[in-house]
Amino acid sequence: RTTAPSRWLKARITAPLSDDLKVIVADEVNVKEVVSVKKVSEGEGTVSDDAKSVTLYTALTDELKAEGALRELVRTTNSLRKEKGLKPQDIVAVTFHTASSYLRTNVIGKYAEQLAKQTAASGWIFSESLSDAAHVVKVNSEEIRIFLT
């Protein structure tokens, strides 16, 4: 059994499917990707049903963890925008502080453009210190403080 959100998982199936059907199956099963294979292998990081027609690959890669952290930052930031009464067209600057080099580099640095777009922000700016009004969030067990201006 896995504790990972299923949207991080991959499904391997033995039936050949068109790309359009793979997208539909991925959405319905709530996985990131559906891959057609000749034979589904079992082992560590997989969960299969009794018919062995579908296998979910449940091992979390660093990329999947970073994408999950990105989604959490987007969700939290947009929740803060809503609390402040901001509209989608209102552009903000997001100032943040974290001691986590992982969050700074592998998430915010790597996905800066996507993060800014999905949070309607002019950018995400690192600060050595933030006011007490900054919102504290735990992402992948690492703390980050976020302040919208």
Side-chain angles (χ1 to χ4, degrees):
R1 198 162 173 89
T2 180
T3 58
S6 58
R7 185 46 87 179
W8 293 359
L9 306 178
K10 292 183 181 181
R12 293 189 175 126
I13 59 172
T14 55
L17 296 177
S18 70
D19 288 342
D20 290 339
L21 282 176
K22 287 179 186 177
V23 169
I24 292 169
V25 170
D27 188 51
E28 290 299 317
V29 180
N30 196 26
V31 294
K32 182 176 179 177
E33 181 180 19
V34 173
V35 180
S36 293
V37 295
K38 290 183 180 184
K39 182 178 179 185
V40 176
S41 60
E42 292 190 41
E44 187 175 335
T46 63
V47 178
S48 299
D49 70 358
D50 290 336
K52 301 207 182 345
S53 58
V54 176
T55 295
L56 296 179
Y57 181 70
T58 60
L60 296 178
T61 64
D62 290 339
E63 181 182 359
L64 290 173
K65 290 176 187 176
E67 289 174 4
L70 170 67
R71 282 191 298 278
E72 182 61 23
L73 287 174
V74 168
R75 187 197 65 74
T76 300
T77 304
N78 287 335
S79 178
L80 291 172
R81 288 177 56 85
K82 185 176 181 179
E83 286 175 19
K84 287 182 144 240
L86 296 170
K87 296 179 178 145
Q89 63 270 24
D90 296 333
I91 305 298
V92 298
V94 179
T95 308
F96 72 95
H97 175 78
T98 183
S100 168
S101 62
Y102 171 79
L103 288 176
R104 280 195 317 267
T105 306
N106 296 9
V107 181
I108 297 169
K110 182 176 181 180
Y111 297 105
E113 187 177 313
Q114 186 177 349
L115 188 56
K117 183 178 179 180
Q118 291 181 354
T119 58
S122 58
W124 279 63
I125 304 149
F126 178 77
S127 175
E128 285 296 331
S129 63
L130 288 178
S131 76
D132 291 337
H135 187 77
V136 179
V137 182
K138 287 263 188 182
V139 177
N140 289 352
S141 303
E142 302 193 51
E143 189 173 286
I144 182 170
R145 299 179 73 213
I146 300 171
F147 187 72
L148 306 180
T149 54

